[in-house]
Amino acid sequence: MRHAWDILEEYRGTLFEGEWPSICHMFLITLRRYTERPAFTVIEGNAKHSLTYAQIARRIGGMAAFLHSRGIVKGDRVILNGKNSPAWAMSYLGIIFSGAIVVPLDNQMGSDRVDALSAFSQAKGIFADRDVLDRLEEGSWLATQDLIVSLDGAGDDTYRRFASIKESDVPLEELELPSGEDIAAILYTSGTTGNEKGVVLTHANFTSDVYQAGDPQFLSITEHDVFYALLPLHHSYTMTAVFLESLMHGCDLLFGQGIVVSRVLNEMRMGNVTLFLAIPLLYNKLLAGLMKKVRERGIAAHALVRTLMWLNGVLRKTFKVNPGRRWFHQLLDGIGMVDNKVCICGGGPLSPKTFQQYQQLGLDFIQGYGLTETAPILTLNPVSRFKIKSVGKVFPLVEMRIADADLFGVGEVQVKGPNICKGYYNDPENTALLFTRDGWLKTGDLGSLDKERYLYLKGRAKNLIVTEGGKNVYPEEIEDLFQLYPQVEQVMIRGYLANKSARAEGIEAVMYPNQEYYKLRGMEGKQIAQDMEKVVSEVNRKLTAYKKVSKTTLVEKPMAMTSTKKIQRNKVSRTIGRLRGNG
């Protein structure tokens, strides 16, 4: 079997040294192969604007020269903080081509945290959107910087404008480029705890992950595909699976202008997006919108579509044929997915029911799993051999074991491989806690493996609920069952002390109602609470006795979330204002 990384043999020893190329060398391979193909695209109104690989190479060379002229040397840290755009992507590449380390930060992060993390990183400069820079103007760290570049808007005496940085015709190969073992980026991950830690990732961590994800056994990608950068690029999931993956294959990368459903649909149609990577929240919204339109056509039309979906699911599973793309062409066009080859879900668990319905509509829909500390992908479901309840097959170069497995084979997922980080920046204590004594990275996730190395996740170890009967309950399994209820905007399952003497936990559902859903129906107050109780009752009917929700809490404000829409569990207590609670 040929692997995606076999192509490296052609360039090893001439273009780069070592087992894995740097991101810079990976880009150079693509530049040689697809010089004049489109690389970065934006849609403005009804017009598409693209830059070729040759054009962005000249911009990257100019960026590297500019950084060197401002005193940036190998190993310096440079902050990158902006919305998704070609300027963000070219700044990222310009920073690493200069030999520096890029430190991407969340564009929605508060200015106090941006200031603190920039200072902690000992960064030597910043590329950021103008509004970010304006908020930082009084910050103590920014006041000490000479290298300040505005990614958007006009420059002035304070900020250098990105667009004013001159291009360079000097071949990128002539620059002193980093090796695969050099540090490429420091990614600050708050996860669901809110405690930022800087994950130190090398070029080889990223490129080894990119080549494994692009292996034909998982995905069939060519230079003619179009990726869609919709989720924030600072996040490891989009950075690797969208940005770097598109560069490796020589694809076109379309930059989304924000998660507004109508805009997303228009961009996917106009951009002819073939590979769509998103999070469960967005996939659920798109599916709910599609099925709502089907129901509006009447009972007969709804019954026909659901029957054909079921039939297509059977045909795909039994005979490996997929007439659904033809049957549902009009429906898929309605959600901008008529050109789509495959949908990939990451950033959190997706309900198997949602997964199944997309498959029934004729779309190849797969899940993956990973974490920032692993650059980030560890598993993907092969398109041709997917398993609905699994988060995918372990990558070929990744070792995975289940530590301290129980009678059901469930234990902590631990990993080794070329994509595993070196640890946390300037944080030896947490770095030591991240690894076992024999060098395996502890993911903190609970799961099991089958004989074909497919991973089945249960949830986070720290979220585990232990009932009075000594049963283990994984909150994420229950949360999945709420995903397709449109009246529930957010749900978090957690344990509460149900029996003080036995120190046993009961199961509580903390929920934020979908305000738009209830406003359209003229419902409020007690009516909302009663309807939400009905949802909980329906979910409970699907659960075994010890997993049933015994306490419901409705919150008045949305719960704090990460950039990939995971609830930050440690912050929930600050937002809870009970409309109604029982238990």
Side-chain angles (χ1 to χ4, degrees):
M1 177 192 294
R2 283 191 58 81
H3 295 294
W5 54 89
D6 289 343
I7 191 176
L8 297 177
E9 294 302 324
E10 183 180 341
Y11 300 94
R12 185 180 287 108
T14 54
L15 182 62
F16 74 94
E17 302 293 336
E19 185 175 5
W20 295 102
S22 69
I23 296 170
C24 305
H25 292 108
M26 183 183 78
F27 177 82
L28 289 176
I29 292 172
T30 295
L31 180 62
R32 291 183 180 186
R33 301 175 73 202
Y34 307 114
T35 310
E36 297 303 327
R37 287 199 60 79
F40 297 157
T41 297
V42 292
I43 291 175
E44 296 174 350
N46 292 317
K48 286 172 65 174
H49 304 280
S50 297
L51 294 170
T52 66
Y53 278 93
Q55 288 173 315
I56 68 171
R58 291 193 290 272
R59 295 301 302 270
I60 292 166
M63 284 277 298
F66 166 73
L67 288 166
H68 288 152
S69 73
R70 302 303 292 268
I72 295 298
V73 298
K74 183 177 180 178
D76 282 345
R77 274 77 62 202
V78 179
I79 302 297
L80 179 58
N81 190 338
K83 295 180 287 293
N84 290 4
S85 69
W88 187 101
M90 287 186 283
S91 296
Y92 181 107
L93 293 170
I95 291 168
I96 62 172
F97 264 89
S98 76
I101 298 167
V102 64
V103 185
L105 296 180
D106 188 346
N107 188 241
Q108 300 302 312
M109 183 181 285
S111 56
D112 59 331
R113 297 308 302 149
V114 172
D115 190 71
L117 293 179
S118 299
F120 178 72
S121 304
Q122 300 173 297
K124 297 290 183 66
I126 182 170
F127 287 72
D129 287 348
R130 182 61 187 261
D131 64 324
V132 172
L133 295 173
D134 288 344
R135 292 197 305 269
L136 280 172
E137 199 164 5
E138 302 301 320
S140 58
W141 174 81
L142 190 71
T144 66
Q145 300 305 303
D146 294 322
L147 175 60
I148 304 172
V149 179
S150 171
L151 293 174
D152 57 356
D156 54 27
D157 292 338
T158 306
Y159 309 139
R160 178 68 178 261
R161 185 167 173 252
F162 170 83
S164 71
I165 298 174
K166 294 180 180 179
E167 296 181 357
S168 171
D169 289 323
V170 176
L172 294 175
E173 290 94 329
E174 294 184 12
L175 298 176
E176 188 177 341
L177 299 177
S179 72
E181 296 309 309
D182 286 325
I183 298 170
I186 298 172
L187 305 187
Y188 282 97
T189 172
S190 60
T192 56
T193 66
N195 301 315
E196 293 116 341
K197 295 187 286 289
V199 181
V200 178
L201 292 159
T202 67
H203 285 266
N205 289 154
F206 284 115
T207 57
S208 65
D209 207 47
V210 166
Y211 280 100
Q212 288 185 88
D215 201 50
Q217 68 173 297
F218 295 106
L219 294 168
S220 177
I221 302 173
T222 74
E223 70 273 18
H224 301 289
D225 282 310
V226 179
F227 280 78
Y228 189 29
L230 179 62
L231 301 177
L233 281 167
H234 80 273
H235 192 274
S236 61
Y237 169 45
T238 322
M239 185 183 298
T240 296
V242 179
F243 175 44
L244 298 180
E245 196 73 37
S246 70
L247 291 181
M248 189 271 276
H249 288 282
C251 300
D252 188 8
L253 177 59
L254 174 66
F255 291 85
Q257 304 299 302
I259 305 180
V260 177
V261 173
S262 59
R263 186 182 295 165
V264 169
L265 301 186
N266 181 60
E267 288 175 343
M268 286 203 294
R269 285 194 201 98
M270 285 193 63
N272 305 114
V273 172
T274 62
L275 292 152
F276 183 43
L277 291 85
I279 53 177
L281 178 68
L282 185 56
Y283 281 122
N284 287 327
K285 283 190 173 183
L286 290 174
L287 183 62
L290 183 147
M291 298 313 297
K292 179 183 177 183
K293 289 181 180 178
V294 171
R295 285 192 295 271
E296 288 172 351
R297 295 181 182 179
I299 295 175
H302 182 249
L304 176 61
V305 168
R306 292 311 299 259
T307 301
L308 289 174
M309 285 174 64
W310 171 83
L311 179 59
N312 192 50
V314 172
L315 292 173
R316 294 195 68 177
K317 187 173 182 179
T318 308
F319 301 104
K320 309 299 180 185
V321 294
N322 182 19
R325 295 299 296 251
R326 185 172 67 254
W327 294 349
F328 304 118
H329 184 278
Q330 187 177 358
L331 287 177
L332 294 176
D333 187 45
I335 57 173
M337 290 187 177
V338 73
D339 295 311
N340 196 275
K341 281 172 51 176
V342 63
C343 295
I344 302 176
C345 185
L350 183 76
S351 165
K353 187 175 180 181
T354 302
F355 187 105
Q356 186 176 42
Q357 288 186 24
Y358 274 101
Q359 289 279 352
Q360 290 174 339
L361 285 166
L363 294 172
D364 284 321
F365 197 97
I366 64 175
Q367 290 195 78
Y369 160 72
L371 51 157
T372 303
E373 289 84 348
T374 61
I377 314 170
L378 292 166
T379 72
L380 267 183
N381 245 319
V383 170
S384 60
R385 298 181 60 216
F386 66 88
K387 297 185 181 183
I388 287 178
K389 293 184 179 180
S390 170
V391 292
K393 189 175 183 179
V394 181
F395 274 0
L397 304 179
V398 170
E399 295 179 70
M400 181 176 289
R401 72 182 185 188
I402 304 300
D404 303 318
D406 62 17
L407 293 174
F408 300 98
V410 176
E412 185 185 36
V413 179
Q414 297 181 353
V415 291
K416 279 185 177 182
N419 54 320
I420 307 303
C421 74
K422 301 301 182 186
Y424 299 118
Y425 181 73
N426 279 355
D427 192 348
E429 183 178 345
N430 278 310
T431 296
L433 293 173
L434 182 62
F435 296 96
T436 64
R437 289 184 178 180
D438 55 347
W440 292 74
L441 183 138
K442 298 182 288 186
T443 68
D445 290 313
L446 297 171
S448 61
L449 284 168
D450 68 15
K451 292 180 180 179
E452 295 181 287
R453 298 185 80 227
Y454 282 76
L455 177 65
Y456 298 81
L457 281 186
K458 292 295 184 179
R460 296 290 292 170
K462 68 179 79 172
N463 300 335
L464 183 67
I465 300 169
V466 182
T467 68
E468 188 171 7
K471 298 283 190 179
N472 290 342
V473 177
Y474 305 99
E476 292 84 354
E477 286 187 321
I478 302 174
E479 289 166 355
D480 285 350
L481 297 177
F482 285 90
Q483 283 193 23
L484 293 181
Y485 286 93
Q487 54 266 63
V488 181
E489 183 73 21
Q490 294 176 311
V491 61
M492 186 190 78
I493 300 298
R494 65 180 184 181
Y496 71 97
L497 198 58
N499 186 327
K500 292 183 180 180
S501 60
R503 303 298 299 173
E505 294 181 290
I507 298 169
E508 177 184 17
V510 180
M511 297 191 291
Y512 176 63
N514 184 331
Q515 303 301 317
E516 184 179 351
Y517 175 93
Y518 287 113
K519 186 177 180 180
L520 288 172
R521 288 158 180 76
M523 298 170 69
E524 56 185 23
K526 185 176 287 187
Q527 293 173 307
I528 294 176
Q530 290 173 343
D531 190 56
M532 295 290 273
E533 285 292 349
K534 288 180 182 177
V535 171
V536 173
S537 296
E538 285 186 30
V539 169
N540 274 342
R541 283 198 287 272
K542 302 171 186 176
L543 295 166
T544 53
Y546 69 90
K547 293 183 180 179
K548 292 184 186 296
V549 174
S550 55
K551 181 178 181 179
T552 303
T553 299
L554 303 188
V555 296
E556 295 175 331
K557 297 179 180 179
M559 291 176 268
M561 303 184 86
T562 68
S563 59
T564 52
K565 306 304 179 185
K566 294 179 186 176
I567 293 172
Q568 293 183 291
R569 293 176 182 265
N570 69 316
K571 294 184 179 180
V572 166
S573 59
R574 303 176 194 174
T575 61
I576 289 181
R578 294 188 181 185
L579 293 176
R580 178 181 183 277
N582 70 342

